[in-house]
Amino acid sequence: MVNHSVEALEIMVNGEPRTVPPNLNVLDLLGLLNIAPDRVAVELNRSIVRQPAWGSTRIEAGAQLEIVQFVGGG
């Protein structure tokens, strides 16, 4: 019998290939990458994902994400 379950997904994060577990949403991915969600912007497949939607926006195989961290200072 062939097991068709997906054990990992291949995605791109800031131009770098990454292998991540399946069934992640944007908020899960930020946690996996140790990125604090309070000062970032997320683009998924060339569309901005607003912070209220991070928990419900799933990451699919082949997804391309850009995660921009804001840095304070002067």
Side-chain angles (χ1 to χ4, degrees):
M1 176 173 269
V2 176
N3 183 353
H4 289 286
S5 67
V6 177
E7 295 185 20
L9 301 177
E10 297 291 327
I11 65 171
M12 296 289 282
V13 178
N14 294 347
E16 298 291 325
R18 296 268 185 162
T19 302
V20 298
N23 302 316
L24 289 181
N25 60 42
V26 171
L27 198 54
D28 296 332
L29 179 65
L30 292 175
L32 184 72
L33 298 174
N34 294 317
I35 296 173
D38 56 343
R39 298 184 62 106
V40 299
V42 178
E43 182 183 275
L44 172 61
N45 298 327
R46 299 183 183 222
S47 294
I48 297 293
V49 180
R50 303 253 179 235
Q51 192 170 8
W54 289 355
S56 61
T57 302
R58 293 268 171 225
I59 306 296
E60 304 290 336
Q64 295 187 21
L65 293 107
E66 293 293 327
I67 301 171
V68 178
Q69 297 186 42
F70 299 106
V71 178

mmCIF file of all heavy atoms in Angstrom, residues 12-53:
data_model
loop_
_atom_site.group_PDB
_atom_site.id
_atom_site.type_symbol
_atom_site.label_atom_id
_atom_site.label_comp_id
_atom_site.label_asym_id
_atom_site.label_seq_id
_atom_site.Cartn_x
_atom_site.Cartn_y
_atom_site.Cartn_z
ATOM 1 N N MET A 12 9.277 28.548 -0.509
ATOM 2 C CA MET A 12 10.354 29.537 -0.587
ATOM 3 C C MET A 12 10.040 30.638 0.416
ATOM 4 O O MET A 12 8.918 31.147 0.445
ATOM 5 C CB MET A 12 10.445 30.135 -1.987
ATOM 6 C CG MET A 12 10.824 29.156 -3.079
ATOM 7 S SD MET A 12 12.526 28.619 -2.989
ATOM 8 C CE MET A 12 13.351 30.018 -3.693
ATOM 9 N N VAL A 13 11.036 30.994 1.231
ATOM 10 C CA VAL A 13 10.889 32.081 2.188
ATOM 11 C C VAL A 13 12.030 33.065 1.938
ATOM 12 O O VAL A 13 13.198 32.697 2.052
ATOM 13 C CB VAL A 13 10.923 31.580 3.647
ATOM 14 C CG1 VAL A 13 10.824 32.744 4.621
ATOM 15 C CG2 VAL A 13 9.801 30.573 3.900
ATOM 16 N N ASN A 14 11.678 34.273 1.542
ATOM 17 C CA ASN A 14 12.661 35.308 1.221
ATOM 18 C C ASN A 14 13.712 34.802 0.230
ATOM 19 O O ASN A 14 14.905 35.048 0.385
ATOM 20 C CB ASN A 14 13.313 35.855 2.488
ATOM 21 C CG ASN A 14 12.331 36.598 3.369
ATOM 22 O OD1 ASN A 14 11.235 36.928 2.958
ATOM 23 N ND2 ASN A 14 12.721 36.855 4.595
ATOM 24 N N GLY A 15 13.238 34.061 -0.772
ATOM 25 C CA GLY A 15 14.114 33.572 -1.830
ATOM 26 C C GLY A 15 14.914 32.327 -1.498
ATOM 27 O O GLY A 15 15.659 31.845 -2.337
ATOM 28 N N GLU A 16 14.753 31.790 -0.295
ATOM 29 C CA GLU A 16 15.491 30.599 0.122
ATOM 30 C C GLU A 16 14.542 29.409 0.221
ATOM 31 O O GLU A 16 13.472 29.522 0.823
ATOM 32 C CB GLU A 16 16.144 30.824 1.496
ATOM 33 C CG GLU A 16 17.161 31.944 1.530
ATOM 34 C CD GLU A 16 18.419 31.616 0.748
ATOM 35 O OE1 GLU A 16 18.827 30.435 0.739
ATOM 36 O OE2 GLU A 16 18.992 32.533 0.144
ATOM 37 N N PRO A 17 14.930 28.255 -0.328
ATOM 38 C CA PRO A 17 14.064 27.076 -0.198
ATOM 39 C C PRO A 17 14.005 26.600 1.249
ATOM 40 O O PRO A 17 15.005 26.628 1.964
ATOM 41 C CB PRO A 17 14.733 26.034 -1.096
ATOM 42 C CG PRO A 17 16.130 26.502 -1.299
ATOM 43 C CD PRO A 17 16.143 27.984 -1.081
ATOM 44 N N ARG A 18 12.828 26.182 1.671
ATOM 45 C CA ARG A 18 12.611 25.665 3.025
ATOM 46 C C ARG A 18 11.729 24.439 2.946
ATOM 47 O O ARG A 18 10.850 24.349 2.099
ATOM 48 C CB ARG A 18 11.870 26.682 3.903
ATOM 49 C CG ARG A 18 12.599 27.948 4.172
ATOM 50 C CD ARG A 18 13.383 27.799 5.440
ATOM 51 N NE ARG A 18 14.002 29.076 5.772
ATOM 52 C CZ ARG A 18 14.464 29.374 6.945
ATOM 53 N NH1 ARG A 18 14.371 28.518 7.930
ATOM 54 N NH2 ARG A 18 15.037 30.522 7.172
ATOM 55 N N THR A 19 11.962 23.512 3.845
ATOM 56 C CA THR A 19 11.089 22.357 4.010
ATOM 57 C C THR A 19 10.384 22.532 5.340
ATOM 58 O O THR A 19 11.031 22.707 6.371
ATOM 59 C CB THR A 19 11.895 21.048 4.000
ATOM 60 O OG1 THR A 19 12.605 20.966 2.761
ATOM 61 C CG2 THR A 19 10.996 19.840 4.128
ATOM 62 N N VAL A 20 9.049 22.522 5.304
ATOM 63 C CA VAL A 20 8.262 22.756 6.511
ATOM 64 C C VAL A 20 7.212 21.657 6.653
ATOM 65 O O VAL A 20 6.858 21.000 5.675
ATOM 66 C CB VAL A 20 7.587 24.145 6.472
ATOM 67 C CG1 VAL A 20 8.631 25.258 6.424
ATOM 68 C CG2 VAL A 20 6.613 24.269 5.318
ATOM 69 N N PRO A 21 6.681 21.489 7.861
ATOM 70 C CA PRO A 21 5.611 20.498 8.052
ATOM 71 C C PRO A 21 4.335 20.934 7.318
ATOM 72 O O PRO A 21 4.143 22.127 7.074
ATOM 73 C CB PRO A 21 5.372 20.496 9.563
ATOM 74 C CG PRO A 21 6.440 21.316 10.167
ATOM 75 C CD PRO A 21 7.084 22.131 9.098
ATOM 76 N N PRO A 22 3.472 19.984 7.000
ATOM 77 C CA PRO A 22 2.201 20.337 6.360
ATOM 78 C C PRO A 22 1.250 20.994 7.366
ATOM 79 O O PRO A 22 1.492 20.975 8.571
ATOM 80 C CB PRO A 22 1.660 18.986 5.890
ATOM 81 C CG PRO A 22 2.273 17.995 6.815
ATOM 82 C CD PRO A 22 3.625 18.550 7.178
ATOM 83 N N ASN A 23 0.170 21.535 6.853
ATOM 84 C CA ASN A 23 -0.915 22.108 7.661
ATOM 85 C C ASN A 23 -0.498 23.316 8.485
ATOM 86 O O ASN A 23 -1.029 23.529 9.574
ATOM 87 C CB ASN A 23 -1.557 21.049 8.558
ATOM 88 C CG ASN A 23 -2.105 19.889 7.755
ATOM 89 O OD1 ASN A 23 -2.742 20.099 6.731
ATOM 90 N ND2 ASN A 23 -1.834 18.683 8.199
ATOM 91 N N LEU A 24 0.455 24.089 7.986
ATOM 92 C CA LEU A 24 0.844 25.317 8.677
ATOM 93 C C LEU A 24 0.012 26.482 8.166
ATOM 94 O O LEU A 24 -0.330 26.532 6.990
ATOM 95 C CB LEU A 24 2.314 25.663 8.411
ATOM 96 C CG LEU A 24 3.407 24.821 9.025
ATOM 97 C CD1 LEU A 24 4.766 25.385 8.627
ATOM 98 C CD2 LEU A 24 3.289 24.771 10.529
ATOM 99 N N ASN A 25 -0.251 27.436 9.054
ATOM 100 C CA ASN A 25 -0.770 28.718 8.606
ATOM 101 C C ASN A 25 0.359 29.737 8.751
ATOM 102 O O ASN A 25 1.458 29.392 9.203
ATOM 103 C CB ASN A 25 -2.049 29.113 9.366
ATOM 104 C CG ASN A 25 -1.829 29.226 10.861
ATOM 105 O OD1 ASN A 25 -0.822 29.768 11.329
ATOM 106 N ND2 ASN A 25 -2.766 28.724 11.634
ATOM 107 N N VAL A 26 0.112 30.969 8.365
ATOM 108 C CA VAL A 26 1.166 31.987 8.394
ATOM 109 C C VAL A 26 1.694 32.190 9.810
ATOM 110 O O VAL A 26 2.903 32.256 10.033
ATOM 111 C CB VAL A 26 0.655 33.314 7.790
ATOM 112 C CG1 VAL A 26 1.658 34.435 8.016
ATOM 113 C CG2 VAL A 26 0.362 33.151 6.307
ATOM 114 N N LEU A 27 0.801 32.238 10.791
ATOM 115 C CA LEU A 27 1.226 32.433 12.178
ATOM 116 C C LEU A 27 2.097 31.270 12.657
ATOM 117 O O LEU A 27 3.117 31.478 13.325
ATOM 118 C CB LEU A 27 -0.003 32.601 13.070
ATOM 119 C CG LEU A 27 0.207 33.224 14.428
ATOM 120 C CD1 LEU A 27 0.907 34.567 14.348
ATOM 121 C CD2 LEU A 27 -1.124 33.352 15.152
ATOM 122 N N ASP A 28 1.726 30.036 12.304
ATOM 123 C CA ASP A 28 2.537 28.860 12.651
ATOM 124 C C ASP A 28 3.929 28.970 12.043
ATOM 125 O O ASP A 28 4.929 28.643 12.679
ATOM 126 C CB ASP A 28 1.895 27.564 12.134
ATOM 127 C CG ASP A 28 0.560 27.237 12.755
ATOM 128 O OD1 ASP A 28 0.314 27.646 13.908
ATOM 129 O OD2 ASP A 28 -0.240 26.555 12.081
ATOM 130 N N LEU A 29 3.994 29.402 10.777
ATOM 131 C CA LEU A 29 5.275 29.509 10.087
ATOM 132 C C LEU A 29 6.177 30.525 10.777
ATOM 133 O O LEU A 29 7.367 30.277 10.964
ATOM 134 C CB LEU A 29 5.076 29.887 8.618
ATOM 135 C CG LEU A 29 6.367 30.055 7.820
ATOM 136 C CD1 LEU A 29 7.128 28.737 7.712
ATOM 137 C CD2 LEU A 29 6.082 30.624 6.443
ATOM 138 N N LEU A 30 5.617 31.670 11.164
ATOM 139 C CA LEU A 30 6.421 32.669 11.869
ATOM 140 C C LEU A 30 6.998 32.081 13.150
ATOM 141 O O LEU A 30 8.171 32.293 13.471
ATOM 142 C CB LEU A 30 5.587 33.911 12.172
ATOM 143 C CG LEU A 30 5.152 34.739 10.961
ATOM 144 C CD1 LEU A 30 4.222 35.860 11.403
ATOM 145 C CD2 LEU A 30 6.336 35.276 10.202
ATOM 146 N N GLY A 31 6.196 31.316 13.877
ATOM 147 C CA GLY A 31 6.685 30.665 15.093
ATOM 148 C C GLY A 31 7.784 29.666 14.790
ATOM 149 O O GLY A 31 8.799 29.605 15.496
ATOM 150 N N LEU A 32 7.604 28.882 13.731
ATOM 151 C CA LEU A 32 8.604 27.886 13.334
ATOM 152 C C LEU A 32 9.933 28.560 12.982
ATOM 153 O O LEU A 32 11.002 28.036 13.276
ATOM 154 C CB LEU A 32 8.081 27.092 12.138
ATOM 155 C CG LEU A 32 8.938 25.957 11.629
ATOM 156 C CD1 LEU A 32 8.911 24.790 12.612
ATOM 157 C CD2 LEU A 32 8.462 25.495 10.267
ATOM 158 N N LEU A 33 9.849 29.749 12.395
ATOM 159 C CA LEU A 33 11.049 30.481 11.989
ATOM 160 C C LEU A 33 11.587 31.385 13.101
ATOM 161 O O LEU A 33 12.544 32.131 12.884
ATOM 162 C CB LEU A 33 10.744 31.320 10.742
ATOM 163 C CG LEU A 33 10.322 30.550 9.491
ATOM 164 C CD1 LEU A 33 9.910 31.505 8.388
ATOM 165 C CD2 LEU A 33 11.421 29.620 9.025
ATOM 166 N N ASN A 34 10.961 31.334 14.272
ATOM 167 C CA ASN A 34 11.356 32.179 15.413
ATOM 168 C C ASN A 34 11.313 33.667 15.072
ATOM 169 O O ASN A 34 12.212 34.428 15.432
ATOM 170 C CB ASN A 34 12.742 31.792 15.939
ATOM 171 C CG ASN A 34 12.743 30.411 16.544
ATOM 172 O OD1 ASN A 34 11.832 30.049 17.272
ATOM 173 N ND2 ASN A 34 13.752 29.629 16.221
ATOM 174 N N ILE A 35 10.264 34.060 14.374
ATOM 175 C CA ILE A 35 10.068 35.459 14.013
ATOM 176 C C ILE A 35 8.901 35.994 14.837
ATOM 177 O O ILE A 35 7.789 35.461 14.778
ATOM 178 C CB ILE A 35 9.766 35.605 12.511
ATOM 179 C CG1 ILE A 35 10.970 35.138 11.685
ATOM 180 C CG2 ILE A 35 9.391 37.037 12.172
ATOM 181 C CD1 ILE A 35 10.722 35.091 10.196
ATOM 182 N N ALA A 36 9.160 37.040 15.610
ATOM 183 C CA ALA A 36 8.101 37.670 16.404
ATOM 184 C C ALA A 36 7.083 38.300 15.458
ATOM 185 O O ALA A 36 7.456 39.068 14.569
ATOM 186 C CB ALA A 36 8.689 38.712 17.338
ATOM 187 N N PRO A 37 5.806 38.000 15.634
ATOM 188 C CA PRO A 37 4.795 38.471 14.686
ATOM 189 C C PRO A 37 4.401 39.936 14.834
ATOM 190 O O PRO A 37 3.677 40.456 13.997
ATOM 191 C CB PRO A 37 3.599 37.566 14.994
ATOM 192 C CG PRO A 37 3.763 37.186 16.414
ATOM 193 C CD PRO A 37 5.253 37.102 16.645
ATOM 194 N N ASP A 38 4.905 40.623 15.843
ATOM 195 C CA ASP A 38 4.434 41.975 16.094
ATOM 196 C C ASP A 38 5.050 43.044 15.195
ATOM 197 O O ASP A 38 4.509 44.138 15.091
ATOM 198 C CB ASP A 38 4.612 42.352 17.563
ATOM 199 C CG ASP A 38 6.042 42.210 18.048
ATOM 200 O OD1 ASP A 38 6.838 41.527 17.380
ATOM 201 O OD2 ASP A 38 6.367 42.783 19.104
ATOM 202 N N ARG A 39 6.157 42.753 14.530
ATOM 203 C CA ARG A 39 6.812 43.781 13.705
ATOM 204 C C ARG A 39 7.216 43.246 12.343
ATOM 205 O O ARG A 39 8.332 43.473 11.880
ATOM 206 C CB ARG A 39 8.032 44.345 14.442
ATOM 207 C CG ARG A 39 7.650 45.042 15.748
ATOM 208 C CD ARG A 39 8.836 45.673 16.398
ATOM 209 N NE ARG A 39 9.406 46.698 15.534
ATOM 210 C CZ ARG A 39 9.293 48.005 15.734
ATOM 211 N NH1 ARG A 39 8.627 48.458 16.748
ATOM 212 N NH2 ARG A 39 9.861 48.859 14.918
ATOM 213 N N VAL A 40 6.305 42.514 11.702
ATOM 214 C CA VAL A 40 6.602 41.974 10.376
ATOM 215 C C VAL A 40 5.435 42.207 9.418
ATOM 216 O O VAL A 40 4.298 42.409 9.845
ATOM 217 C CB VAL A 40 6.942 40.459 10.400
ATOM 218 C CG1 VAL A 40 8.165 40.179 11.228
ATOM 219 C CG2 VAL A 40 5.766 39.639 10.865
ATOM 220 N N ALA A 41 5.749 42.163 8.150
ATOM 221 C CA ALA A 41 4.749 42.135 7.076
ATOM 222 C C ALA A 41 4.979 40.846 6.299
ATOM 223 O O ALA A 41 6.118 40.408 6.134
ATOM 224 C CB ALA A 41 4.898 43.340 6.168
ATOM 225 N N VAL A 42 3.893 40.232 5.848
ATOM 226 C CA VAL A 42 3.989 38.944 5.153
ATOM 227 C C VAL A 42 3.309 39.051 3.793
ATOM 228 O O VAL A 42 2.168 39.506 3.681
ATOM 229 C CB VAL A 42 3.326 37.819 5.981
ATOM 230 C CG1 VAL A 42 3.386 36.495 5.218
ATOM 231 C CG2 VAL A 42 3.986 37.679 7.343
ATOM 232 N N GLU A 43 4.059 38.616 2.777
ATOM 233 C CA GLU A 43 3.523 38.521 1.422
ATOM 234 C C GLU A 43 3.527 37.054 1.043
ATOM 235 O O GLU A 43 4.545 36.373 1.189
ATOM 236 C CB GLU A 43 4.412 39.321 0.471
ATOM 237 C CG GLU A 43 3.918 39.322 -0.956
ATOM 238 C CD GLU A 43 4.882 40.061 -1.881
ATOM 239 O OE1 GLU A 43 4.768 41.294 -1.965
ATOM 240 O OE2 GLU A 43 5.734 39.393 -2.478
ATOM 241 N N LEU A 44 2.390 36.544 0.588
ATOM 242 C CA LEU A 44 2.248 35.147 0.181
ATOM 243 C C LEU A 44 1.843 35.123 -1.281
ATOM 244 O O LEU A 44 0.784 35.653 -1.643
ATOM 245 C CB LEU A 44 1.197 34.444 1.046
ATOM 246 C CG LEU A 44 0.798 33.032 0.640
ATOM 247 C CD1 LEU A 44 1.997 32.082 0.669
ATOM 248 C CD2 LEU A 44 -0.316 32.517 1.531
ATOM 249 N N ASN A 45 2.702 34.544 -2.108
ATOM 250 C CA ASN A 45 2.439 34.451 -3.552
ATOM 251 C C ASN A 45 2.068 35.818 -4.132
ATOM 252 O O ASN A 45 1.097 35.962 -4.860
ATOM 253 C CB ASN A 45 1.363 33.409 -3.840
ATOM 254 C CG ASN A 45 1.797 32.026 -3.408
ATOM 255 O OD1 ASN A 45 2.969 31.678 -3.464
ATOM 256 N ND2 ASN A 45 0.852 31.229 -2.948
ATOM 257 N N ARG A 46 2.869 36.821 -3.757
ATOM 258 C CA ARG A 46 2.771 38.190 -4.277
ATOM 259 C C ARG A 46 1.541 38.963 -3.814
ATOM 260 O O ARG A 46 1.169 39.967 -4.415
ATOM 261 C CB ARG A 46 2.870 38.211 -5.795
ATOM 262 C CG ARG A 46 4.202 37.665 -6.266
ATOM 263 C CD ARG A 46 4.333 37.748 -7.758
ATOM 264 N NE ARG A 46 5.603 37.148 -8.138
ATOM 265 C CZ ARG A 46 6.393 37.653 -9.040
ATOM 266 N NH1 ARG A 46 6.081 38.753 -9.675
ATOM 267 N NH2 ARG A 46 7.529 37.057 -9.334
ATOM 268 N N SER A 47 0.896 38.490 -2.747
ATOM 269 C CA SER A 47 -0.229 39.219 -2.160
ATOM 270 C C SER A 47 0.045 39.422 -0.676
ATOM 271 O O SER A 47 0.425 38.478 0.020
ATOM 272 C CB SER A 47 -1.541 38.444 -2.317
ATOM 273 O OG SER A 47 -1.896 38.343 -3.670
ATOM 274 N N ILE A 48 -0.173 40.651 -0.205
ATOM 275 C CA ILE A 48 0.008 40.938 1.214
ATOM 276 C C ILE A 48 -1.063 40.189 2.003
ATOM 277 O O ILE A 48 -2.239 40.199 1.630
ATOM 278 C CB ILE A 48 -0.116 42.454 1.492
ATOM 279 C CG1 ILE A 48 0.980 43.226 0.767
ATOM 280 C CG2 ILE A 48 -0.114 42.745 2.992
ATOM 281 C CD1 ILE A 48 2.377 42.966 1.286
ATOM 282 N N VAL A 49 -0.652 39.550 3.086
ATOM 283 C CA VAL A 49 -1.595 38.881 3.984
ATOM 284 C C VAL A 49 -1.703 39.757 5.230
ATOM 285 O O VAL A 49 -0.712 39.983 5.925
ATOM 286 C CB VAL A 49 -1.113 37.463 4.374
ATOM 287 C CG1 VAL A 49 -2.123 36.799 5.302
ATOM 288 C CG2 VAL A 49 -0.881 36.610 3.134
ATOM 289 N N ARG A 50 -2.873 40.261 5.489
ATOM 290 C CA ARG A 50 -3.092 41.117 6.654
ATOM 291 C C ARG A 50 -3.026 40.294 7.935
ATOM 292 O O ARG A 50 -3.444 39.142 7.968
ATOM 293 C CB ARG A 50 -4.441 41.811 6.551
ATOM 294 C CG ARG A 50 -4.583 42.627 5.291
ATOM 295 C CD ARG A 50 -4.506 44.088 5.596
ATOM 296 N NE ARG A 50 -4.611 44.869 4.355
ATOM 297 C CZ ARG A 50 -3.716 45.749 3.996
ATOM 298 N NH1 ARG A 50 -2.665 45.981 4.734
ATOM 299 N NH2 ARG A 50 -3.855 46.422 2.879
ATOM 300 N N GLN A 51 -2.509 40.896 8.987
ATOM 301 C CA GLN A 51 -2.278 40.177 10.243
ATOM 302 C C GLN A 51 -3.516 39.447 10.774
ATOM 303 O O GLN A 51 -3.389 38.315 11.242
ATOM 304 C CB GLN A 51 -1.705 41.120 11.289
ATOM 305 C CG GLN A 51 -1.188 40.394 12.505
ATOM 306 C CD GLN A 51 -0.396 41.304 13.434
ATOM 307 O OE1 GLN A 51 -0.349 42.508 13.258
ATOM 308 N NE2 GLN A 51 0.219 40.705 14.417
ATOM 309 N N PRO A 52 -4.726 40.006 10.706
ATOM 310 C CA PRO A 52 -5.887 39.262 11.218
ATOM 311 C C PRO A 52 -6.141 37.940 10.488
ATOM 312 O O PRO A 52 -6.786 37.046 11.037
ATOM 313 C CB PRO A 52 -7.056 40.230 11.003
ATOM 314 C CG PRO A 52 -6.440 41.584 10.952
ATOM 315 C CD PRO A 52 -5.090 41.379 10.319
ATOM 316 N N ALA A 53 -5.611 37.796 9.276
ATOM 317 C CA ALA A 53 -5.836 36.583 8.488
ATOM 318 C C ALA A 53 -4.719 35.551 8.644
ATOM 319 O O ALA A 53 -4.806 34.455 8.083
ATOM 320 C CB ALA A 53 -6.002 36.939 7.008
#
